[in-house]
Amino acid sequence: MNGHGDQARAYFLEGYNCSQSVFLAFHEELGLDKEMAARLASSFGGGMGRLREVCGAVSGMFLAAGLLQGYSDPRDAEGKKAQYALVQELAEAFRNKNGSIVCRELLGLDHKSDAPTPQARTREYYAKRPCADLVADAARILEERLLQVKEA
């Protein structure tokens, strides 16, 4: 397991949203084909459908973490606790690196949401958006955490 950050960046530059980019970087480990992974993460781009809430890269990281290490039994209190602790740890690592986990704050926006139509992916778009770096950071954070668990 390596290079997930570079894979996530490449997916973003290919046109996938932030959540899809991170989630797709792990799709093989998740046991999902590319199309299914892209569909599962598609709603979380732009801070959840361009609502500019939780960053899509962070949501994609959480989605992958849930499939890789999550619980499924609703009575599994320890599993739930462990998963929520992991989510908080991943969020804190992302926040420490980038200052926030909220899309609009990361982009320096002064409004809460945008129209549902995404902006065209032009050179200017990529020049003013930190998203390629954010998806790489999220994928690397999850990759590092998974390696720690594997080595323990």
Side-chain angles (χ1 to χ4, degrees):
M1 187 181 345
N2 62 31
H4 291 88
D6 292 337
Q7 290 174 357
R9 179 188 304 278
Y11 281 126
F12 183 78
L13 295 175
E14 194 176 321
Y16 289 99
N17 73 35
C18 295
S19 182
Q20 289 172 315
S21 298
V22 174
F23 198 61
L24 281 168
F26 292 91
H27 79 89
E28 291 176 357
E29 290 97 329
L30 299 171
L32 297 172
D33 65 55
K34 189 174 175 181
E35 181 181 355
M36 180 61 75
R39 286 175 179 263
L40 281 168
S42 66
S43 296
F44 300 98
M48 300 187 182
R50 291 179 48 89
L51 291 172
R52 304 303 183 195
E53 297 295 339
V54 174
C55 170
V58 173
S59 295
M61 179 172 58
F62 294 166
L63 281 167
L67 277 178
L68 290 165
Q69 296 185 337
Y71 68 96
S72 60
D73 182 343
R75 297 173 303 272
D76 182 3
E78 286 304 310
K80 185 182 284 192
K81 178 181 171 185
Q83 188 63 20
Y84 290 174
L86 173 60
V87 165
Q88 289 183 12
E89 178 184 326
L90 294 171
E92 187 62 23
F94 189 91
R95 188 180 292 112
N96 286 341
K97 179 137 179 70
N98 297 293
S100 180
I101 66 167
V102 176
C103 177
R104 70 178 161 273
E105 293 172 4
L106 292 163
L107 297 180
L109 300 175
D110 60 0
H111 55 279
K112 289 199 172 210
S113 64
D114 283 320
T117 304
Q119 290 180 301
R121 296 286 185 96
T122 63
R123 187 180 318 179
E124 293 78 24
Y125 173 93
Y126 287 116
K128 71 180 182 177
R129 297 286 176 150
C131 302
D133 292 333
L134 297 174
V135 299
D137 287 345
R140 283 187 194 115
I141 288 166
L142 181 56
E143 178 181 63
E144 289 169 8
R145 178 63 172 91
L146 294 172
L147 285 172
Q148 290 170 356
V149 169
K150 198 175 198 180
E151 293 171 358

